């Protein structure tokens, strides 16, 4: 049958549905079906090692070309399971550079989750690494590169990519204090010796019969993906996750998806306005999640930092005070914001009126220390006197 005849035959069958119609038509023309096989675990690990190494090494150097040759050799027989092992690399190259060491660590960390989550799709694996490299570049550009461990960022990105609900949960918990109680509880339950790990496989037995006392939901401990993710190095319980969340903000707009952005912008304007307006906005803001409250705090704090006249109380200070009442976790960041403002330009307002606002022990301690420094500030007498609790003569 000629191609034209085939077209005429299928012309009348288009009503069966576009997907079925297209598949049947292609099967008529193409007689040899072939699906590109996905990358397995070993192939993914080799691919990751080469990609990570290529992003930090000179790809034209003899050492990288030798590494590339090793990768090609390993890909010919992936069923052997050796891949690009450290022993093979040391035997061929003689040494493992820090850049290559980092590539091996990241590849070992990411290979299994990406092989399963990305279903061995090289394009998705490359996209994941491109995003990782972009965020590391953002961290360097913002001069917080030393605070961002690539292994920690990569682990968080795995949760972001393959367990969005779980990531949003730990993101909301860590947005203000930097710690996630869920991650800490999971690691406490799962990162133990073999005997305790066996108990952790039975949540009810390991956590006790009273579900009210359990710090974790059943679905978390029962999720095989989350259990494996928790055991992937490095541990996160002692990590400050805020720098990682900061460089990951490209994943969404200023506020979470589905939120009323216009309404929240109106609240921000009220927080930066009168005292009554700030209090009215605070009533509504108190209904938001901790992460959303912190995002609003960041916007108001940025406006204060941008103020050109700090001799008088800048717009937004009343708003920050209201936010500190809503979320005590914002009290210490507020103290640190005051400390970051230029001492020589601050008016007496900075040292007064905070006694009823700062209720947490940490905020009280840091603010007292800040006032001690201001009290010794000879180049700014108004602030010095206010910090020392004295009034200016003739004022």
């Amino acid at each position: 049958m000629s191609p034209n005849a085939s077209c005429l035959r299928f012309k009348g069958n288009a009503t069966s549905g576009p997907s079925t119609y297209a598949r049947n038509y292609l099967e008529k023309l193409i007689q040899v079906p072939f699906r590109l096989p996905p990358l397995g675990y070993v192939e993914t690990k080799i691919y990751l090692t080469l990609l990570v190494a290529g992003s930090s090494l000179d790809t034209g150097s003899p050492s990288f070309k030798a590494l590339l040759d090793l990768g090609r050799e390993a890909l010919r027989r992936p069923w052997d399971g050796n891949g690009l092992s450290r022993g093979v690399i040391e035997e061929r190259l003689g040494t493992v550079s820090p850049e290559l060491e980092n590539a091996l660590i990241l590849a070992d960390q990411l290979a299994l989750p990406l092989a399963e989550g990305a279903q061995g799709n090289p394009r998705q694996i490359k996209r994941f690494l491109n995003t990782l490299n972009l965020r590391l570049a953002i961290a360097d550009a913002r001069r917080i590169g030393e605070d961002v461990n690539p292994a920690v960022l990569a682990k968080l990105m795995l949760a972001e990519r393959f367990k969005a609900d779980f990531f949003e949960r730990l993101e909301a918990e860590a947005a203000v204090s930097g710690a996630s109680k869920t991650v800490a509880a999971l690691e406490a339950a799962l990162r133990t010796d073999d005997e305790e790990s066996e108990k952790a496989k039975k949540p009810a037995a390991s956590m006790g019969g009273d579900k009210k006392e359990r710090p974790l939901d059943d679905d978390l401990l029962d999720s095989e993906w989350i259990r494996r993710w928790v055991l992937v190095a490095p541990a996160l319980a002692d990590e400050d996750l805020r720098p990682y969340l900061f460089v990951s903000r490209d994943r969404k707009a200023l506020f979470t998806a589905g939120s009323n952005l216009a309404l929240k912008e109106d609240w921000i304007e009220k927080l930066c306005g009168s005292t009554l307006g700030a209090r009215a906005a605070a009533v509504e803001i108190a209904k938001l999640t901790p992460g959303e409250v912190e995002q609003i705090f960041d916007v108001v704090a940025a406006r204060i930092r941008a103020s050109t006249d700090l001799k008088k109380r800048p717009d937004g200070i009343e708003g920050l005070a209201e936010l500190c009442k809503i979320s005590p976790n914002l009290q210490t960041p507020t103290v640190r914001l005051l400390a970051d403002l230029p001492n020589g330009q601050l008016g007496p307002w900075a040292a007064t009126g905070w006694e009823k606002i700062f209720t947490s022990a940490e905020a009280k301690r840091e603010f007292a220390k800040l006032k001690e420094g201001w009290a010794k500030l000879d180049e700014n007498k108004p602030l010095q006197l206010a910090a020392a609790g004295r009034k200016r003569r003739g004022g």
Side-chain angles (χ1 to χ4, degrees):
M1 183 182 295
S2 68
N4 288 336
S6 292
C7 290
L8 291 173
R9 176 186 172 187
F10 278 92
K11 183 177 181 180
N13 295 329
T15 56
S16 62
S19 177
T20 302
Y21 173 75
R23 186 183 302 110
N24 290 338
Y25 184 69
L26 286 174
E27 285 182 355
K28 181 71 177 178
L29 297 179
I30 302 172
Q31 302 297 322
V32 182
F34 179 78
R35 292 183 179 272
L36 186 66
L39 300 180
Y41 166 72
V42 174
E43 296 163 305
T44 300
K45 189 173 180 179
I46 295 170
Y47 184 49
L48 282 168
T49 302
L50 294 174
L51 285 177
V52 178
S55 66
S56 55
L57 296 174
D58 179 7
T59 55
S61 65
S63 59
F64 183 81
K65 290 180 179 179
L67 180 67
L68 193 58
D69 289 340
L70 280 176
R72 287 169 176 161
E73 291 176 14
L75 285 172
R76 291 193 188 102
R77 301 178 62 85
W79 56 85
D80 286 343
N82 295 324
L84 276 175
S85 67
R86 185 184 306 276
V88 172
I89 293 174
E90 289 180 342
E91 180 181 347
R92 181 70 63 89
L93 302 182
T95 184
V96 176
S97 66
E99 293 82 5
L100 188 50
E101 178 73 26
N102 179 59
L104 290 170
I105 292 173
L106 276 179
D108 187 61
Q109 174 194 20
L110 300 176
L112 184 58
L114 284 181
E116 295 180 350
Q119 300 179 340
N121 187 316
R123 180 179 57 81
Q124 291 190 26
I125 294 171
K126 183 68 161 62
R127 186 182 182 88
F128 182 94
L129 281 182
N130 285 344
T131 305
L132 174 63
N133 289 331
L134 175 61
R135 291 178 176 178
L136 291 173
I138 291 172
D140 289 336
R142 297 302 296 266
R143 299 183 181 179
I144 58 171
E146 294 181 356
D147 298 323
V148 176
N149 180 341
V152 173
L153 179 59
K155 181 171 180 176
L156 288 171
M157 286 176 57
L158 287 173
E160 176 190 349
R161 174 64 179 83
F162 301 116
K163 280 288 181 183
D165 292 344
F166 174 63
F167 178 79
E168 288 175 2
R169 174 172 174 168
L170 68 89
E171 180 184 39
E173 293 175 350
V176 176
S177 65
S180 167
K181 63 181 181 180
T182 297
V183 170
L186 283 167
E187 290 184 354
L190 299 174
R191 286 182 171 271
T192 55
D193 57 26
D194 293 340
E195 182 179 351
E196 291 299 319
S197 295
E198 288 300 318
K199 293 180 182 179
K201 293 178 182 178
K202 302 176 182 179
S206 61
M207 293 296 179
D210 188 356
K211 292 187 177 181
K212 293 182 180 179
E213 296 179 358
R214 293 190 59 198
L216 297 172
D217 298 335
D218 283 333
D219 58 340
L220 292 180
L221 281 173
D222 291 343
S223 169
E224 184 62 28
W225 191 95
I226 290 178
R227 292 173 67 88
R228 286 203 305 254
W229 180 86
V230 170
L231 296 175
V232 168
L236 302 182
D238 297 327
E239 291 281 349
D240 184 349
L241 302 182
R242 287 173 295 184
Y244 303 94
L245 300 181
F246 177 80
V247 299
S248 300
R249 291 193 298 182
D250 62 304
R251 62 185 292 268
K252 58 185 178 180
L254 176 61
F255 300 108
T256 54
S259 64
N260 191 327
L261 180 57
L263 182 58
K264 290 179 179 178
E265 288 178 340
D266 180 62
W267 292 338
I268 290 170
E269 293 304 320
K270 289 181 178 179
L271 288 173
C272 295
S274 66
T275 301
L276 290 178
R279 289 175 181 173
V283 173
E284 300 301 321
I285 293 171
K287 302 174 185 178
L288 301 178
T289 65
E292 289 177 308
V293 175
E294 196 233 11
Q295 290 168 339
I296 292 176
F297 172 89
D298 287 342
V299 176
V300 177
R303 293 196 180 187
I304 293 172
R305 287 191 178 94
S307 298
T308 57
D309 183 7
L310 293 173
K311 293 296 183 184
K312 61 181 181 180
R313 183 185 294 264
D315 294 338
I317 289 296
E318 295 292 343
L320 287 194
E322 293 300 323
L323 293 178
C324 286
K325 295 175 185 177
I326 294 172
S327 178
N329 287 328
L330 293 174
Q331 293 176 16
T332 300
T334 299
V335 177
R336 293 171 183 172
L337 168 65
L338 295 172
D340 288 340
L341 298 176
N343 292 336
Q345 300 176 25
L346 285 177
W349 63 268
T352 58
W354 296 104
E355 290 75 17
K356 295 181 179 180
I357 304 299
F358 298 147
T359 57
S360 73
E362 182 181 13
K364 287 181 177 180
R365 183 173 59 254
E366 291 199 18
F367 187 62
K369 186 176 180 180
L370 180 60
K371 287 180 67 176
E372 288 178 7
W374 285 342
K376 301 174 183 177
L377 200 64
D378 293 332
E379 59 268 29
N380 188 339
K381 284 295 183 181
L383 178 62
Q384 181 188 45
L385 294 173
R390 300 194 303 271
K391 292 184 178 180
R392 191 176 184 183
R393 292 181 181 179

